[in-house]
Amino acid sequence: MNWEPRDTLLPHASAAARPAAKPMFAVSCGTKGGVHLAIVGGGLILDLGEAERTFVYRCQDRFLAYTSLWRQRSIFFAANDRHAQIYREHVGLQRALFDRIRDYTGLFFAKPLLEPLYVGCDVDRFELFPCQGFSRQVEALPALAGFLLNQISPTYARLLAQLVHLLRQHGVAIDELEDDTAELAALVARCADKGHYHALVSAALARGDRVPRHTPTIEVTATDLWNLPDYRALAAFHRSSGRNRSDEPARMFVKATRNSSGNLSAAVGPENYAEEMQRLRTTAAEEAAYGPVEIERQTVGLRQEVELAPCLRTLGLTDAQLSSCKLEQARRRQDVGFLVQPALPTCDGEFAGIGLSYVIAPDGRVTPFGPTAQIYRDRDHKHFQGAYLSASVGCDIPSAFHDGMIELCRRYFALGYHGPINFDACRTREGTYELIYDCNPRLTGVFPSLAVRDALQDDGIEVASVLTLGYRGEFVLDALDAALESLDRDGLLLTASRSTGVVLLPNLCRDRGFDLHLVNLAPREANQLLKELGALSAAAVHPTRLYW
């Protein structure tokens, strides 16, 4: 069928504001005016215990196309020389796919897929070393200004310090890291705990300071939570804090203070309280369990994840190594607390959840680069699918709320924070917005949408919106040419001469995996298209419906 968009955003609406500098953590330690190397991975997720050590390798595989669209050369950590060679072979295959897409669509001609700088990284000890070919790659590097990171953590700060030393050993003119890098990383890890955010805002409210409106929320220990026998007891416990606005909300939302994946959260009411609380309790116990039987079970699950990773499965990681990874992860998941707040129902068809993103500069300047709508693959909004980047999102947020957000960012700056930061807000039944005590001190999943938007704008494409349908290679294509021709024939492929449609990008993290981005198409149009788009995929790992 030839697709004619019926709900495309108005042509004059441009996607959310584009900051002058990349919204990342900038670590300057080299030549002013030089280039930055990008480290895009999951260091913060690792340090919070939401992932284990192989995530150092598996997470970076997701983003090679996007750093290239931003013209940033990536650093890829490799377990050994063989791993680096595996990466070179797979990146070569990715480049061929990327070039075929560029040739067919006429897009991204100035944005080739950039070969990463491969750095040896033993994740058992978190020690860096020069892997095969490192010296040759370093000799060809231009002058370096420093590094850009999507997220920073204590572990990655230590890796950065080692990397600087390694580069200096190989003749690169680069200074030692800034003094506050390790301090900033430690602060970021604290800010990622929702309990820290709750305490920060609670203290401000107690002083009578101005803060944006937040959903009335209490923090509870896991023990106190498990001891509440039913929904009425939960609502009474929340009401006892004196911060509720009604006698008993129809539903309450419960979420872990250290969790971003949604598996430790639940919307509960009288009808599902027992079932959902038991699920939360079981999940929390399984994450924290480190007995031999539990670790063996978790190791089996990790082995399955490794087998799905094309650049990792043939590396020969032993069960003992994987078991050690899961044991360390479990020890990071002890004593996780919870927040309890009224669930905010919506009834106006607008986006229920939005992300408000900012960059806090080292001098305290605050620059917004959102908001974005949060798109999920499940009705309960637990499993994030991608970001919808559009100026139409949150366009009805009053200026006073925006002013309050700038003040909130300045509170974080007063702690010593600088870099990208994101806050989640929900839309109420009345059409206003409330913050829900989710602070994400990193460049979030909006990154792929931003990279696609920026690259298309550089190509002269007018971009009103970008909707990312995942960035883990969820669309599995056996034949790229056939997929391109099918999309083009149906009027669905974005090209240099067609400004509405699909952008297709290869992804390293799944065999024959590709990411799909819908440009200048609204989410409700995506749901109309998903069946047709899904028919292209050889595996059922892509979303079948989107929720917002």
Side-chain angles (χ1 to χ4, degrees), residues 424-451:
D424 291 345
C426 280
R427 188 178 179 88
T428 69
R429 189 187 299 274
E430 295 77 25
T432 59
Y433 289 92
E434 290 186 359
L435 295 169
I436 57 172
Y437 291 99
D438 272 345
C439 172
N440 305 295
R442 62 184 189 274
L443 176 59
T444 62
V446 70
F447 167 45
S449 300
L450 290 172

Side-chain angles (χ1 to χ4, degrees), residues 170-403:
H170 284 74
V172 176
I174 192 169
D175 299 327
E176 297 294 341
L177 286 185
E178 298 168 331
D179 293 338
D180 72 340
T181 302
E183 295 175 5
L184 175 62
L187 174 61
V188 166
R190 293 195 300 274
C191 292
D193 190 316
K194 297 177 180 66
H196 178 277
Y197 180 13
H198 184 256
L200 181 73
V201 173
S202 296
L205 291 172
R207 293 192 301 267
D209 295 345
R210 188 182 72 162
V211 294
R213 186 173 179 178
H214 285 70
T215 299
T217 299
I218 62 171
E219 184 173 5
V220 299
T221 66
T223 299
D224 286 341
L225 186 61
W226 310 145
N227 284 335
L228 297 173
D230 54 28
Y231 181 74
R232 178 164 292 182
L234 176 69
F237 192 77
H238 181 267
R239 189 164 58 248
S240 69
S241 69
R243 298 182 63 181
N244 64 303
R245 291 169 300 180
S246 63
D247 291 338
E248 184 174 300
R251 295 174 76 79
M252 302 286 285
F253 197 72
V254 182
K255 57 188 176 185
T257 55
R258 287 185 283 129
N259 179 259
S260 61
S261 65
N263 65 319
L264 266 182
S265 66
V268 299
E271 77 288 350
N272 71 341
Y273 181 84
E275 178 184 356
E276 282 295 277
M277 295 305 291
Q278 183 57 53
R279 179 184 62 80
L280 283 185
R281 187 170 187 172
T282 299
T283 302
E286 288 176 347
E287 287 189 357
Y290 53 86
V293 174
E294 291 85 356
I295 293 299
E296 181 179 359
R297 176 185 53 78
Q298 294 178 35
T299 300
V300 171
L302 179 54
R303 173 63 67 188
Q304 293 171 346
E305 293 188 61
V306 168
E307 289 300 313
L308 290 174
C311 297
L312 204 58
R313 73 164 68 98
T314 62
L315 197 57
L317 296 175
T318 67
D319 285 346
Q321 286 176 293
L322 299 186
S323 176
S324 174
C325 289
K326 295 305 294 187
L327 180 61
E328 181 193 50
Q329 182 185 4
R331 287 173 173 162
R332 292 178 186 264
R333 297 302 291 169
Q334 307 301 307
D335 302 320
V336 175
F338 288 85
L339 298 185
V340 179
Q341 56 194 202
L344 297 176
T346 60
C347 60
D348 58 6
E350 298 297 326
F351 299 109
I354 61 173
L356 302 164
S357 298
Y358 304 85
V359 178
I360 304 174
D363 63 3
R365 286 178 296 112
V366 179
T367 304
F369 62 96
T372 54
Q374 297 161 337
I375 307 298
Y376 299 87
R377 62 188 300 156
D378 66 301
R379 189 182 302 275
D380 292 331
H381 292 188
K382 293 178 184 176
H383 303 293
F384 180 75
Q385 182 64 38
Y388 178 55
L389 181 67
S390 169
S392 69
V393 176
C395 60
D396 56 346
I397 296 177
S399 59
F401 192 94
H402 284 298
D403 293 343

